[in-house]
């Protein structure tokens, strides 16, 4: 079995496959989102931001640890494209910390993010982290001085439901491929990159993105969001405020697997929210690190609109950066920084909330049903059904 | 002019007035909330928790600083009733810190909350704070040792739209009255206590409460929430996921007042979210301080369901405490603490989210239109209209 | 009994008294501090910073709560002098949070400090807090808009060993006096202002200050520190690395009082560190809020040099601000902020550590023996003895 | 060139070598530390704690990236020995975050540490992190459920002065070796494990350890500390309060290398503190996560006693855990947790400060001069000289 993907998305070990159908996005199917999106409705609407993916899909059938099946990948978000030496101001926040985002101690201390934000599966964070350093070394970055170090930002969500996560199939080359092929332009969604094997609200999840553009009076800034969505239980799913999840009959096999540990026979037990979501917020608004932390914290509000209660097992970790103020991390001189007043942040907060909400729905709408280890299947959100539910609640546009 | 309140709610300087009509609650009017409430659907469903109010309403017409009109008050939440010596485990969180909650540095350090949580207006935090100490001194608390100090928890939201907030009308006696009259049982909502002069989503706001009871299989615990709601702009208001705010024509006078500072002539400016919300979460589940901080953080998710983006000017500050583990702060011996596993927290998280959402709606539904300084009026959410909107979206029960 | 102070220091209820002898400072007595102090070796070396005090000393003999004796006061540190509308960038940190500093949630959120930093006794934080607002109202600050609020920063340490702390002797007028009389120039130390009744390392403590000036090559910036020192147990006191405390015989009465609660008969119990220290760091270096938080965190390192282990009962809370970047909090436009690179911070870190260490020693060296409630006495560090100890360890200069 | 180490310490790629001379420790050479150490004066005095090392030393001469010379390694601290399934309560703190400790977001959220604390060089954090997961998988840990994930704690300091850090010489096997060979008993210090190539206060640094035992009246608990010390500039070094660093002539080559970036020609520039220190605090006292965070924060105070100002480039990151309360992380039931009152923490705070100070000095005293890449040499603290300085200041015991 092989689930195809476009060549652009494909990692080094994925055979060629028929091109995926044209992407489908939630907005196009009639979800009434608030606010004005950017041209692409993607994180790449923020000028300079590039996104790359390595998608690893191979094997089928019974899990043999180390042999597959493989349903995983790597996502790279590059704030200033391939230039990883000019740091960006950044801030981060964790709504629930059952997850990992390396490099955040350094972000918190200095207010800067150096290099890309990488996202992969839980057990491949390490290989990707060191691979980012190696990639920078290959670029010749320590040339000017041997006294150079790097503390990459690498985040994860868990794909062990579909993927041989303990087989460590992500290799340094996969991280490099995501970095090297990163580009601006439209961003594929669903089963791509780090999002390949993810599950969201007990439907197939993965990668999603969206953006908002502020009015000229508000400064004309852009906020872009990219999520790797793996969180939530079905009953809680809301789209445009409508309780979609509970109106679509459950995927029993999946729910069984997600019952609370230690209570296998307790039929009253609610499904656990053992997934995670990584949210990357980019903007070109000139914000200080303290202000970017505030943006990161708003991701919670956008996430909440989709219904989750941020379960105990969820790693809901967010990072926000600004592409403004190039050169702000140069080691000498007095820097002259542009800063938007706190009093002008509300439109950016609103944009972050809205784009986060839409990116999550896009991740689900863009995902395709996937079968992974042991034949287990994560079913994609059925488009006809959720649209029917929205219509029932008078919330479907068109 | 005098806006009446029941004797129970009345502060020392409010003349007797006709009893308020029977309270109206969102659930009774058909809002389809999730989960199972406790008996009273109030924070007092958590055994031992007592709530008291002082409501200060006097004067009308033009503002004369120091003379009124007065539309303010004090709310007291007592975790273990009048016993303020037996501390409770607690944790706190701030989604947006444009506000004050004193005592939190101490809560963060020790994991304990000693004495009540008080809520009043922004400019009366100090008088209430010292009054709590004086109240404890009057109770004879430093008797055993002269080496005794207190770091009370006092929070605030801003009522300067209706109240002479710079007139400092709250007095120590008002804090004592709220403490002395605190009791279990039903909790009044809307224009009472610290919530008296508050505005929420550009409608009249104030005090609200709700609770959830877990199933026996989940431990049978109770989570109760009390909010003092003063946040949000009308366009964002959602009830049960329905965009109620934008379907009810705006209160132009109010919106004008809330335009961004410095942009008085900019008609394109969006209204600022310059309010705040204080959320108090109580539970009888045996949780550690780290776990209670997690509960406090979930208040954001409940708040988000009502639509806010947590504006720059908003003080969205939350505290959670557990009435379990009495005696845990005794200074000697080894304490034997009950602790619920992290793996069992999801139902408590869900309860916190749901009760927070409902408490906010209750604050608005329970509030009455109020006219304050300079004849300015905050109009209550019109029950017929919001119910009509819910019906339009097929979300009204009954 | 009346302990005198200069007229400049005296609060409204302290009778005139003979002028204090010329101030004595640790450096003049031969303590070998590192680094180069500013002209005054005081926080007022940072241009624009003003400091004011109200010192309340009255009564003697047995404690009658509400009547005295009184040994307390208020300290005001004004970052930009009397102009409390132009906010400064700020950051804060707590090494041990058994204390209070109001307003910090707002500082953390926005990165700004608006108005003064006030320091008083533990049970007078509230009155001082509201008094700061009233003072600003008296200055006509809400004139342009009625939609105005204030969240003052007020910190405390506990003076209940010498002062009738539960008598609430600090009044709004005392806060106003400290604010109105604030000025640049030399800063009195020891038993003044909020530091009046404080005890440090079981000797008489109180207010202390110091500063450092960076070399031209390092930018020529100034770092000034002011402490209200009330922390530490005698055995741990170190001056210039020398274990001074254990070489000066103990004050038994005092140690008895500080034994662990609940263990009155346990003679093996070590004295508790139940005091606190507030540290205010000012600089004219152009630092962002994230960087100022880093400065605040360095106060711990300076404090540690004096020996404390930051006991459980200690409120060790620090705030740092920068007077650079005037106008940075204006609500509109894009601000152009000067920022020193992180790579250039080490000299500022070093200055903060050194000035903090010196300010603490200055607080003790400048303090005089004081008798307070019930005839209890806090003995000042005997100058001859500690100098003798430094000499024994070859660490006395001159 | 080959610097030898005992077989116990040797990684898989280090040839057999003559046994190291008997270890030398600071206490034995007359440093007058406070407090009472445990039997071994090591972190392994805390029952159950095991420590393992892999030391990688090979090659000499000019740096060829990927070929060496190699001066690095891995350190493993196992809270409950080889059992990595029974989590321990933990808390962490960062005094300066220019470094990495993975897994801390999870520690912060849950209050638990699962599995070992690993320490290696900056650019090998990733490989060690994933290797810990693989080691656990090899132990069969996901057997009961395929729904299992791990978020290992791996910290680092930078050894690029002596080691080919961009050559990525640490392999998964090196992490496994450190884990598999971990044991209780004496702990080697200096150039071992992750500490192999480290430099501290511009002398050769590395691994150090110490412990304190509380009196029976204080509970009889043990606090053990292990550091990987790579921080500080020579001028600031203090031992027992004595300014040792500035009295020992500098290592000019080294200082040149550590000049501020961007100011290569500025001879007035102070050396930068571009190192780091990882501090692991273990105790058997029954502490909650909130209390362990307080212990972790005390590491700063011990570190400060050795003189550092925690430079901008330093990653000063600390973690504390308690071996009490086995089984506290079981997913079901109500746990009965032992908890020491906050009022009893001061002796543990003091023990942490003292053991941290001693462990750092032990790391330096135990280290040997090492030559690494390009023939660069880090000279060990000369024992005769520092003892002479202590004697000069009357602080040498014996």
């Amino acid at each position: 079995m092989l689930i195809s993907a476009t060549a652009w998305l494909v990692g080094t070990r994925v055979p060629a496959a028929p091109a995926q159908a044209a992407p489908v996005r939630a907005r196009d199917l009639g979800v009434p989102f608030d606010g004005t999106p950017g041209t692409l409705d993607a994180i790449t609407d923020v000028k300079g931001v590039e996104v790359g993916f390595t998608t690893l899909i191979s094997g089928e059938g019974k899990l043999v640890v180390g042999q597959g099946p493989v349903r995983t990948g790597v996502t790279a978000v590059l704030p200033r494209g391939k230039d990883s030496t000019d740091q960006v101001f950044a801030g981060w926040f964790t709504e629930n910390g059952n997850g990992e985002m390396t490099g955040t101690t350094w972000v918190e201390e200095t207010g800067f993010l150096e290099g890309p934000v990488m996202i992969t599966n839980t057990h491949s964070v390490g290989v990707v982290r060191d691979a980012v350093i190696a990639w920078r070394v290959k670029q010749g970055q320590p040339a000017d001085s041997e006294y150079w170090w790097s503390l990459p930002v690498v985040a994860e969500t868990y794909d062990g439901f579909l993927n041989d996560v303990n087989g460590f199939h992500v290799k340094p080359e996969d991280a490099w491929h995501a970095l090297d092929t990163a580009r601006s332009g439209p961003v594929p969604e669903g089963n791509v990159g780090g999002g390949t094997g993810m599950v969201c609200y007990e439907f197939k999840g993965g990668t999603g993105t969206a953006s908002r553009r502020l009015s000229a009076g508000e400064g004309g800034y852009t906020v872009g969001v990219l999520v790797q969505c793996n969180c939530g239980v079905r009953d809680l799913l809301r789209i445009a405020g409508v309780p979609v999840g509970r109106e679509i009959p459950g995927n029993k096999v999946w729910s069984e697997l997600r019952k609370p540990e230690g209570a296998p026979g307790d039929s009253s037990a609610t499904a656990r929210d053992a997934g995670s979501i990584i949210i990357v917020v980019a903007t070109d608004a000139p914000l200080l690190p303290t202000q970017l932390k505030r943006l990161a914290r708003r991701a919670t509000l956008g996430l909440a609109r989709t219904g989750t209660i941020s379960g105990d097992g969820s790693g809901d970790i967010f990072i926000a950066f600004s592409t403004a103020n190039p050169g702000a991390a140069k080691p000498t001189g007095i820097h002259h920084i542009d800063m938007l007043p706190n009093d002008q942040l509300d439109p950016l907060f609103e944009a972050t909330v809205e784009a986060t909400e839409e990116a999550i729905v896009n991740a689900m709408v863009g995902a395709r049903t996937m079968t992974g280890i042991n034949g287990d299947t994560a079913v994609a959100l059925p488009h006809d059904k959720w649209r029917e539910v929205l219509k029932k609640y008078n919330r479907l546009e068109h």
Side-chain angles (χ1 to χ4, degrees), chain A:
Chain A
M1 189 209 74
L2 183 73
I3 297 178
S4 64
T6 71
W8 190 59
L9 309 177
V10 165
T12 47
R13 282 162 294 139
V14 178
Q20 209 173 22
V24 182
R25 311 195 72 188
R27 174 179 295 270
D28 301 327
L29 295 181
V31 179
F33 293 114
D34 299 328
T36 306
T39 313
L40 302 167
D41 199 9
I43 194 171
T44 43
D45 283 322
V46 178
K47 197 180 165 188
V49 175
E50 297 184 3
V51 179
F53 298 98
T54 298
T55 303
L56 301 176
I57 299 171
S58 67
E60 60 184 275
K62 184 155 176 50
L63 168 68
V64 181
V65 173
Q67 297 183 29
V70 178
R71 305 284 184 276
T72 195
V74 182
T75 300
V77 180
L78 290 77
R80 298 195 196 278
K82 304 299 184 300
D83 178 2
S84 57
T85 59
D86 189 8
Q87 304 174 26
V88 288
F89 279 135
W92 79 295
F93 175 70
T94 175
E95 173 66 20
N96 196 62
N98 208 320
E100 177 67 84
M101 185 182 279
T102 67
T104 46
T105 301
W106 183 83
V107 170
E108 181 80 19
E109 184 70 40
T110 65
F112 285 105
L113 163 68
E114 186 183 43
V117 176
M118 309 293 287
I119 325 177
T120 184
N121 77 60
T122 308
H123 291 181
S124 296
V125 165
V127 63
V128 171
R129 184 224 181 245
D130 291 355
V132 171
I133 302 175
W135 182 73
R136 297 184 63 188
V137 170
K138 289 198 302 177
Q139 289 186 320
Q141 287 190 26
D144 295 322
S145 157
E146 287 169 295
Y147 207 69
W148 173 93
W149 68 92
S150 178
L151 299 163
V153 172
V154 185
E156 54 69 48
T157 63
Y158 178 82
D159 55 18
F161 176 66
L162 294 172
N163 177 48
D164 172 20
V165 69
N166 293 327
F168 302 101
H169 296 280
V170 175
K171 305 298 175 192
E173 293 74 14
D174 300 319
W176 301 337
H177 179 264
L179 288 162
D180 289 332
T181 62
R183 60 186 194 193
S184 57
V187 176
E189 295 175 312
N191 311 356
V192 301
T196 299
M198 300 301 161
V199 180
C200 190
Y201 289 104
E202 301 184 52
F203 294 102
K204 185 68 189 69
T207 304
T209 190
S211 74
R212 289 295 180 274
R213 181 149 301 161
L214 272 55
S215 73
E218 293 166 334
Y221 303 112
T222 298
V223 173
V225 169
L226 182 141
V227 305
Q228 181 165 310
C229 186
N230 195 43
C231 72
V233 292
R234 183 178 293 212
D235 268 4
L236 295 177
L237 175 63
R238 297 178 177 200
I239 296 178
V242 172
V244 165
R246 67 185 57 164
E247 304 232 1
I248 301 182
N251 177 347
K252 290 307 176 194
V253 174
W254 176 241
S255 294
E256 282 302 303
L257 283 168
R258 289 171 75 95
K259 273 193 312 187
E261 283 174 33
D266 180 2
S267 61
S268 75
T270 55
R272 288 173 74 213
D273 185 359
S276 294
I277 184 165
I278 300 298
I279 303 178
V280 182
V281 182
T283 187
D284 54 4
L287 303 184
L288 297 193
T290 33
Q291 297 175 314
L292 288 158
K293 182 185 274 285
R294 302 178 75 185
L295 245 63
R297 217 184 295 127
R298 262 66 192 178
T300 303
L301 298 158
L303 173 60
R305 289 185 176 186
T306 64
T308 188
I309 51 100
S310 204
D312 167 63
S314 202
D316 301 350
I317 312 181
F318 321 138
I319 190 165
F321 61 80
S322 164
T323 59
N325 291 309
K330 283 183 187 161
T332 55
I334 302 291
H335 299 314
H336 304 288
I337 302 298
D338 284 346
M339 173 199 172
L340 199 66
N342 283 324
D343 295 72
Q344 304 301 324
L345 292 184
D346 279 6
L348 292 167
F349 289 169
E350 193 162 3
T352 303
V353 174
E354 291 171 359
T356 299
E357 178 188 12
E358 182 171 352
I360 294 167
V361 182
N362 277 341
M364 299 180 71
V365 166
R368 308 296 171 88
T369 295
M370 177 179 273
T371 299
I373 58 171
N374 301 321
D376 289 336
T377 298
V379 178
L381 190 62
H383 292 186
D384 52 343
K385 287 192 184 159
W386 69 258
R387 297 186 75 214
E388 203 172 284
V389 179
L390 255 66
K391 197 171 178 187
K392 168 180 166 188
Y393 288 100
N394 199 16
R395 287 287 274 162
L396 192 69
E397 284 191 344
H398 313 316

